[in-house]
Amino acid sequence: MLDRLGFERRDRRNLLVVIAVVAVVTAIVSEGTAGVRLLVGLITGLISGVMFIISTVLINRYKPDHW
């Protein structure tokens, strides 16, 4: 599915890294029980992943040819 949007193998790897880093950092710095922290980290990671997909698609579509 992501191939149709112009995602390359490198972009998929970067997506997973962004989701993992944001989820872990958010889970560590948030307050609450372990379940709440895990849920907050997961939701934040997914939102960051969606934003990464949107920005990557827009950059790939509208970037200048010399990039």
Side-chain angles (χ1 to χ4, degrees):
M1 179 177 160
L2 292 176
D3 292 333
R4 289 188 281 160
L5 296 175
F7 258 56
E8 300 172 5
R9 182 180 178 106
R10 179 185 63 203
D11 295 330
R12 283 186 286 240
R13 183 201 62 204
N14 291 342
L15 172 65
L16 292 177
V17 169
V18 166
I19 290 173
V21 168
V22 170
V24 168
V25 169
T26 305
I28 290 171
V29 300
S30 63
E31 295 184 15
T33 63
V36 170
R37 293 169 73 160
L38 186 62
L39 184 63
V40 167
L42 180 65
I43 291 170
T44 307
L46 290 176
I47 291 171
S48 297
V50 169
M51 294 309 298
F52 181 86
I53 290 171
I54 291 170
S55 61
T56 302
V57 167
L58 289 175
I59 288 170
N60 287 343
R61 187 160 298 179
Y62 296 110
K63 68 182 177 185
D65 291 333
H66 64 274
W67 274 17

